[in-house]
Amino acid sequence: MKPRYVLAIDLGTSGPKILLISEDLEEAASGFEPNSVQLYDGGGAEQDPQEWWDSISRGIKKVISDAEIDKNQIVGISCTGQWSGTVAVDKNGQALMPAVIWLDSRGAEPLKKVTGGFPNVEGYGLSKIMKWIRLSGGAPGHSGKDPIAHILYIKEKFPKIYEETYKFLEPKDYINYRLTGKFISTVDTMTLHWVTDNRKIDDIKYDDGLLRLSAIDRDKLPDMIKSTDIVGEISKSVADELGLSEQTVVVGGTPDVQSAAIGAGTVSDFQANLCIGTSAFLTCHVPFKKTDIFHNMASLPSGIPGKYLLMNEQESAGACINFLKEKLLFGNDALANKEITDSEVHQIFDQLASEVSAGSDGLIFTPWLYGERSPIEDHNIRGGYHNLSLKHSKGHLIRSAMEGVALNIRWLKIYVEKFISKEVDTINIIGGGA
C-alpha cells in the first residue's frame, strides 16, 4: 500500500508553516509563508484573515508539489496556530473586519465593566472572580488580550459589526471553516473566552451564567467538539483549489500552546515544555484543576482529551530578537531586499553574542516590549536596555536581549514550581528560539 499522509498547518503570527507528514512520521515536504501584522496606537494588533488563507493555500500547493505524491494519499488535515485571536464572520463566512489577534489589548477598558465590582479583589468583583475560578479555572486577563475582551471591544466600538457577526472564530477555527464550510471550535480552544464550565474535564460545555456575566451572546459562538474529533471533509471548491481529494477530512485541532506540549513529547503529568516563539510559555500537564490568580496561571483543558495543562505566557521572547534584528541592527529593507538572509542574521547574532561574557558587562535588557502576561500581568509595562554605556557593542546588545528573555523565563519557572509543588529539573525546549 502507498503511505498515507496528513497536512499539518501551524498558523503562527509571522506566517503559516506547512508540513506534509506520513503516518510513520516521515516528513515528505514542508514550507513557510510570511504574513504581516498591523500594530496601532492604543494597543491594537490585527492581521488580515484573507492573507492567512492565501498564504496557507500557496504553502499547501508548494508542499504537495515538492512531495510529488498522489492527492489520494493525503487523508487528513490538522490545523494549530496562534491562540486568543478573534475573527468576526457573517453567515457566509466572510470576515467583517481584520482579525484581532492575541497581542491586541484594546479590549482592556470594555472588559473592566464586566469584571469589576465590590468588594474588589485584584481588580475583580469578589463574587465574579469566585464564579469564574470555580467554573472555568481562571478569569479574563486585565490586559484585554483574551477573546472575551476582543469581542467586548468590537461590541462597544463597532456595534454594527457585532450585530452582523454570525460567529466569532478563533484563528485555527477560521481556517477549519475555510476548509470545510463548518463553524466549529474545540473545547480546549474556547477556554480563553471564559464562558465554559471546565470542572468535568470530559464534559466541558458553555455555562449560561458565565455567558450572562461576560455579556456575550451564545449564538455568536461556535459549537464545540473535542480536538481529536473530525470537523468534516473539505469542500469541493477547496479540494479543486488546493489539488486535494474531496475525501480528505479535517480534524478539530488544538491551539499552539496545547499542541506545543504534545509536539515536545511532554504528555505525562509534570513533564515541562518551554516553547520560545514570538512569545514564550512554560507548561506541563497536571492531574488537577487549579488557579494562581496572582501570577496569571491556571490549569485549563489540554489538547489531549481528558487532561489539564498548566497555562501561562510571556508576551515577548523571540519577538525581542526580531525587534533587535529588524529595528536596530539590520533593518527591514536589508532583509526584504535579501541583502542578508534571516539564517545569516542569526548566525551573526550567535557569533557576536558568544564573544561577550555572561552578564553582558552589566547591560540589562527587560523584554516587555508589548506588555506582559505571566508571571505578572501588566499590559502597560514596557521593556528596554539599562546600564547602557559607550563601551557596549552590538554583541552586548544581542547577548543582553537573549539573557533578558532567559531570565524572564527563569522568573516564571519559580511560580510554575510553586504551582505544581515540584522542582522542574528537566525541560524540553522547542520553537524558533530553542
Side-chain angles (χ1 to χ4, degrees):
M1 290 179 62
K2 292 182 178 180
R4 299 185 301 175
Y5 293 86
V6 168
L7 266 171
I9 303 168
D10 177 7
L11 179 59
T13 310
S14 57
K17 293 177 281 291
I18 313 293
L19 171 67
L20 188 59
I21 190 167
S22 77
E23 57 190 329
D24 296 322
L25 303 184
E26 295 293 331
E27 178 182 328
S30 62
F32 169 77
E33 296 288 332
N35 280 343
S36 58
V37 181
Q38 285 71 49
L39 301 177
Y40 304 102
D41 291 341
E46 298 177 344
Q47 290 189 292
D48 181 0
Q50 186 60 44
E51 184 182 14
W52 288 346
W53 178 250
D54 291 342
S55 58
I56 287 172
S57 299
R58 285 195 307 272
I60 289 176
K61 291 174 187 175
K62 186 175 186 305
V63 163
I64 293 174
S65 175
D66 290 346
E68 297 181 340
I69 63 173
D70 185 274
K71 67 179 182 180
N72 293 309
Q73 291 176 259
I74 303 173
V75 297
I77 301 176
S78 183
C79 184
T80 184
Q82 54 173 290
W83 197 16
S84 192
T86 303
V87 188
V89 299
D90 63 18
K91 286 189 176 182
N92 297 316
Q94 292 293 317
L96 299 173
M97 62 180 290
V100 183
I101 67 169
W102 59 277
L103 280 166
D104 197 298
S105 61
R106 291 174 294 182
E109 285 303 314
L111 185 67
K112 286 181 181 178
K113 301 171 185 176
V114 168
T115 60
F118 180 84
N120 184 286
V121 178
E122 292 288 311
Y124 300 93
L126 179 58
S127 63
K128 294 179 180 179
I129 191 62
M130 289 178 66
K131 184 168 187 172
W132 259 312
I133 291 176
R134 182 172 61 86
L135 296 179
S136 71
H142 294 311
S143 66
K145 295 179 179 181
D146 294 340
I148 176 179
H150 299 163
I151 295 172
L152 292 174
Y153 165 74
I154 293 169
K155 187 176 183 179
E156 180 174 294
K157 300 297 182 181
F158 305 101
K160 191 171 188 300
I161 289 178
Y162 181 86
E163 182 180 334
E164 293 176 356
T165 296
Y166 177 62
K167 299 294 179 186
F168 290 104
L169 299 177
E170 276 273 350
K172 81 162 178 66
D173 299 325
Y174 172 77
I175 300 305
N176 283 349
Y177 167 79
R178 294 296 298 260
L179 290 166
T180 66
K182 296 186 177 181
F183 301 97
I184 294 289
S185 188
T186 58
V187 292
D188 48 309
T189 303
M190 294 304 293
T191 297
L192 293 187
H193 288 68
W194 303 112
V195 292
T196 57
D197 184 342
N198 304 325
R199 289 175 296 175
K200 296 180 180 179
I201 193 63
D202 293 314
D203 185 27
I204 296 169
K205 55 194 175 185
Y206 289 116
D207 181 79
D208 291 338
L210 291 178
L211 285 163
R212 286 193 297 272
L213 189 60
S214 303
I216 295 177
D217 295 312
R218 163 64 184 93
D219 61 1
K220 293 186 182 293
L221 300 177
D223 290 339
M224 298 184 295
I225 60 176
K226 294 179 181 178
S227 61
T228 51
D229 289 342
I230 302 297
V231 176
E233 295 179 343
I234 62 171
S235 66
K236 184 180 186 307
S237 61
V238 169
D240 293 341
E241 176 187 352
L242 300 180
L244 294 167
S245 164
E246 291 179 48
Q247 279 71 54
T248 307
V249 299
V250 177
V251 182
T254 191
D256 54 3
V257 176
Q258 294 94 323
S259 58
I262 298 168
T266 50
V267 295
S268 297
D269 289 340
F270 307 116
Q271 287 184 311
N273 162 52
L274 172 62
C275 180
I276 308 178
T278 302
S279 60
F281 36 87
L282 180 61
T283 66
C284 62
H285 286 95
V286 295
F288 48 73
K289 175 178 169 291
K290 181 180 176 181
T291 303
D292 179 354
I293 187 176
F294 300 105
H295 301 102
N296 201 29
M297 298 191 300
S299 52
L300 302 172
S302 163
I304 302 174
K307 277 185 170 287
Y308 288 107
L309 182 69
L310 168 57
M311 304 281 190
N312 51 60
E313 184 194 17
Q314 294 188 170
E315 202 75 319
S316 300
C320 298
I321 307 303
N322 286 337
F323 179 85
L324 193 61
K325 173 180 66 179
E326 297 165 5
K327 304 293 178 65
L328 295 183
L329 298 185
F330 288 97
N332 276 322
D333 290 341
L335 294 164
N337 296 330
K338 306 297 182 182
E339 295 172 20
I340 184 169
T341 68
D342 203 58
S343 177
E344 289 170 337
V345 170
H346 287 283
Q347 290 176 17
I348 293 170
F349 275 21
D350 288 347
Q351 179 60 39
L352 292 174
S354 71
E355 296 169 0
V356 176
S357 60
S360 302
D361 291 322
L363 182 61
I364 296 171
F365 176 78
T366 48
W368 312 309
L369 299 187
Y370 216 71
E372 188 55 288
R373 292 203 194 211
S374 301
I376 302 295
E377 184 177 40
D378 186 343
H379 70 279
N380 291 314
I381 197 170
R382 291 296 180 266
Y385 283 101
H386 309 270
N387 297 337
L388 186 63
S389 75
L390 293 175
K391 72 175 183 180
H392 288 128
S393 64
K394 286 183 180 179
H396 287 95
L397 295 176
I398 296 164
R399 185 179 186 105
S400 178
M402 293 177 176
E403 290 179 339
V405 172
L407 288 168
N408 212 53
I409 293 168
R410 178 181 171 181
W411 185 29
L412 175 60
K413 177 175 173 284
I414 293 170
Y415 294 105
V416 166
E417 291 176 330
K418 290 182 177 180
F419 190 99
I420 64 176
S421 299
K422 291 179 182 292
E423 183 177 340
V424 174
D425 55 5
T426 301
I427 301 175
N428 289 10
I429 307 181
I430 64 172

